[in-house]
Amino acid sequence: MAGTTLRRGAKNGRGKGGLKLAAATMGAACMLFLPGVAQGSAAAEAHPHQGKVKPYKPGMPDIVLTKKQRTDLDGGDLVQDMLKGETDEDGGKGGRALAVQDVNAPAEYVWDRILDFGNYNKMVPKVTECKNYETETLRNGTEIIKTNLKLNVFGVKLNSFFYHTYFPSKSSMTWTLDYTKKSTLDDSVGFWHVATHPSQDKQADWSRVYYSVQLRIPSWIPGIVIGYLNKKAIREATTWVKRESEEKYKADFAAGRTLGGKKPGAVGLPGGWGAALSGLGSKTGSKEGGGGWMPSWMKAAEPEPEPEPEPEPEKPSASDPSSFVVRGERLR
């Protein structure tokens, strides 16, 4: 399950191989997703087809983690598995690979990094330029984001056109190629899903991130690039999100900022989390008034609670002999 397979066709693009679907092509996302790569193609030229690979659906992926996988995640490791009900071009022998990673930052920080396409060249390995060329927000809040991404992988310059659909209400984003522009990759689809961490003691400041991609590649891509995508790209595609999200979260917390740069709504809490988290607390901090709450990567001493004074016993009423007093509370 940890392997990712990319297959090329014959040298001339003919024969039985042609363009082969990547079965379990998790890593071929090229750092983030490498979904549609075009080299030297005119942006005005349309793609030769409108999609050959089945797109992903937004929402929580259909997966049940094993005990070992959960232990690996708790230890900070990346976990890979296969999505149920997803098949490849060869009849489902490989399926679609899925990567799962725990991130020590709230979901809004993870999305802030994933959606910051304009800074991918600073965050994502091999990306030289990335910018959105068209965006639209629908009435239901869904966002359409079309992005041009340029990469340099071992000297091979790649230019890609993505059609992302971000579903805030489902905490998911899917993508395909932008088929109105010609890309060198024959096809590519994928998705991100960011969920609140399932462990109650981590829900305040941890997220669980799910990532998957599947693509078809042309024969001209050199073997060294294919080898890189097979062996390293999957880890880089998920670890950069973990690294960037956690660094931004820690920096904002230390500076007393919210995600948007404003001052926090409660002392010691990042931004508007004050009201939401004031009563939560954590194993590493106090929950008194919210000000003592600390994320799990910081440590704070638990204050000793002050003893409450014993209430004065209430005297029985002389006019009501049937009444009696138990620890200050009148009962009948």
Side-chain angles (χ1 to χ4, degrees):
M1 290 192 291
T4 58
T5 304
L6 300 177
R7 292 192 297 265
R8 296 186 292 165
K11 282 187 176 180
N12 60 2
R14 301 171 183 269
K16 189 174 181 180
L19 292 168
K20 282 292 186 177
L21 181 65
T25 58
M26 187 59 228
C30 176
M31 284 49 73
L32 173 63
F33 4 84
L34 189 55
V37 178
Q39 180 168 327
S41 60
E45 187 177 356
H47 204 64
H49 61 77
Q50 294 299 301
K52 295 181 179 180
V53 183
K54 179 183 176 183
Y56 286 79
K57 295 180 180 179
M60 185 71 179
D62 183 12
I63 181 175
V64 178
L65 297 172
T66 65
K67 183 178 180 180
K68 183 182 183 305
Q69 289 173 329
R70 294 194 300 269
T71 300
D72 290 342
L73 286 171
D74 289 340
D77 293 335
L78 175 75
V79 166
Q80 295 184 57
D81 208 324
M82 302 303 294
L83 284 171
K84 298 178 181 178
E86 301 290 354
T87 60
D88 63 18
E89 190 183 51
D90 296 329
K93 294 180 181 179
R96 284 175 166 173
L98 173 74
V100 186
Q101 178 80 70
D102 283 353
V103 177
N104 190 184
E108 57 264 37
Y109 273 82
V110 179
W111 280 119
D112 179 76
R113 299 295 79 205
I114 292 175
L115 295 170
D116 191 11
F117 294 109
N119 284 310
Y120 270 26
N121 62 320
K122 301 175 183 178
M123 300 186 295
V124 186
K126 304 294 189 294
V127 174
T128 59
E129 184 180 344
C130 188
K131 60 182 179 180
N132 298 331
Y133 56 88
E134 185 177 336
T135 60
E136 180 183 2
T137 301
L138 307 182
R139 290 184 178 180
N140 63 358
T142 299
E143 298 179 25
I144 306 300
I145 307 170
K146 297 181 182 181
T147 308
N148 178 214
L149 176 66
K150 297 179 181 180
L151 306 101
N152 188 324
V153 184
F154 302 130
V156 179
K157 296 181 180 180
L158 307 171
N159 187 26
S160 54
F161 298 94
F162 308 147
Y163 188 110
H164 305 101
T165 307
Y166 172 47
F167 303 86
S169 62
K170 297 183 178 182
S171 196
S172 297
M173 182 170 71
T174 62
W175 73 83
T176 66
L177 296 186
D178 179 358
Y179 300 110
T180 66
K181 302 181 185 299
K182 187 176 181 180
S183 295
T184 303
L185 274 189
D186 187 53
D187 209 357
S188 177
V189 297
F191 91 114
W192 288 97
H193 180 76
V194 183
T196 301
H197 198 281
S199 298
Q200 189 169 358
D201 60 342
K202 290 186 175 182
Q203 288 182 356
D205 61 341
W206 281 81
S207 301
R208 181 157 288 175
V209 179
Y210 301 83
Y211 168 78
S212 185
V213 67
Q214 189 172 12
L215 64 140
R216 294 167 59 98
I217 59 174
S219 60
W220 65 262
I221 296 181
I224 188 173
V225 176
I226 300 300
Y228 170 80
L229 297 178
N230 268 325
K231 297 177 181 179
K232 294 183 179 180
I234 177 176
R235 185 163 294 276
E236 291 189 3
T238 50
T239 54
W240 81 260
V241 172
K242 177 179 175 66
R243 179 187 67 249
E244 295 293 333
S245 301
E246 292 180 349
E247 287 181 0
K248 185 172 179 61
Y249 176 55
K250 291 179 183 180
D252 280 0
F253 188 94
R257 294 190 300 258
T258 66
L259 184 59
K262 298 180 180 179
K263 290 297 180 181
V267 178
L269 284 176
W273 303 339
L277 300 178
S278 60
L280 286 179
S282 74
K283 290 185 175 180
T284 57
S286 167
K287 60 183 179 181
E288 290 295 326
W293 178 87
M294 305 287 279
S296 60
W297 43 266
M298 300 181 70
K299 294 188 181 294
E302 190 78 35
E304 292 291 334
E306 296 184 4
E308 297 184 3
E310 284 288 330
E312 290 292 331
E314 185 178 345
K315 295 181 180 180
S317 172
S319 60
D320 187 6
S322 63
S323 67
F324 61 96
V325 175
V326 178
R327 302 185 69 175
E329 182 179 0
R330 184 180 298 277
L331 302 176
R332 294 182 180 275

